């Protein structure tokens, strides 16, 4: 019993058609582009997130947003995703859509795992990626350089 919320663009019409062809149109909502400041409102309705980004080197800032609202996250096992999520991500083999579906299914079926990852990812976001944590790191660097 799953409903998908697909945020963003481009290609919304093509993705909507694919969902229709797969028989998922009634289980999928496409928001199109939304103002960045409204993203947390949408993310807070979810139970988990998926980031199927395949790049080995390109940033993946949406993972930080998912963590900030405590969304356990399924993603491909890439260096960038691992750097951000650490051992708290639910990983699939890169470029393997079947493995991505397996990882997503495992997280959908396990409410305990979702709850655990939710709390731990939210805390990781606060401890490592918040403005306060980043400010401390910058101050430490500055102090080390001006010593």
């Amino acid at each position: 019993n799953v409903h998908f919320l697909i945020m963003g663009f481009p290609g919304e019409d093509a993705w909507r058609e694919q969902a229709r062809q797969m028989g998922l149109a009634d289980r999928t909502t496409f928001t199109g582009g939304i103002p960045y400041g409204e993203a947390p409102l949408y993310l807070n309705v979810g139970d988990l997130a998926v980031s199927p980004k395949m790049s080995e080197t390109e940033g993946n800032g949406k993972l930080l947003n998912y963590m900030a609202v405590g969304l356990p996250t399924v993603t491909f096992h890439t260096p960038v995703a691992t750097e951000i999520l650490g051992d708290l991500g639910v990983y699939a083999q890169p470029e393997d859509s079947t493995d991505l579906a397996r990882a997503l299914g495992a997280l959908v079926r396990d409410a305990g795992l979702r709850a655990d990852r939710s709390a731990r990812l939210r805390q990781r976001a606060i401890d490592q990626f918040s403005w306060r944590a980043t400010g401390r790191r910058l101050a430490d660097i500055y102090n080390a350089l001006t010593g």
Side-chain angles (χ1 to χ4, degrees), residues 37-57:
E38 293 179 17
L41 300 173
Y42 288 86
L43 294 175
N44 273 313
V45 302
D47 295 316
L48 59 96
V50 180
S51 178
K53 194 168 207 168
M54 292 186 272
S55 175
E56 296 263 333
T57 57

Side-chain angles (χ1 to χ4, degrees), residues 2 5 15 30 46 49 61 93 102-103 144:
V2 174
L5 175 65
W15 294 115
F30 293 88
Q93 292 302 309
R102 177 211 48 82

Side-chain angles (χ1 to χ4, degrees), residues 66-86:
Y66 297 162
M67 291 170 66
V69 297
L71 285 175
T73 302
V74 175
T75 188
F76 289 118
H77 199 271
T78 64
V80 172
T82 304
E83 180 180 346
I84 295 171
L85 298 172

Side-chain angles (χ1 to χ4, degrees), residues 5-112:
L5 175 65
I6 312 293
M7 297 169 53
F9 62 95
E12 178 187 349
D13 292 335
W15 294 115
R16 188 183 309 275
E17 176 59 20
Q18 185 171 358
R20 188 194 64 73
Q21 289 175 8
M22 295 174 71
L24 296 172
D26 62 335
R27 292 177 172 263
T28 309
T29 299
F30 293 88
T31 66
I34 59 168
Y36 185 77
E38 293 179 17
L41 300 173
Y42 288 86
L43 294 175
N44 273 313
V45 302
D47 295 316
L48 59 96
V50 180
S51 178
K53 194 168 207 168
M54 292 186 272
S55 175
E56 296 263 333
T57 57
E58 183 181 347
N60 197 345
K62 70 180 62 151
L63 295 178
L64 297 169
N65 291 320
Y66 297 162
M67 291 170 66
V69 297
L71 285 175
T73 302
V74 175
T75 188
F76 289 118
H77 199 271
T78 64
V80 172
T82 304
E83 180 180 346
I84 295 171
L85 298 172
D87 63 352
L88 300 175
V90 177
Y91 296 107
Q93 292 302 309
E95 300 186 39
D96 185 337
S97 60
T98 300
D99 199 40
L100 187 71
R102 177 211 48 82
L104 179 59
L107 196 54
V108 165
R109 287 187 296 275
D110 192 336

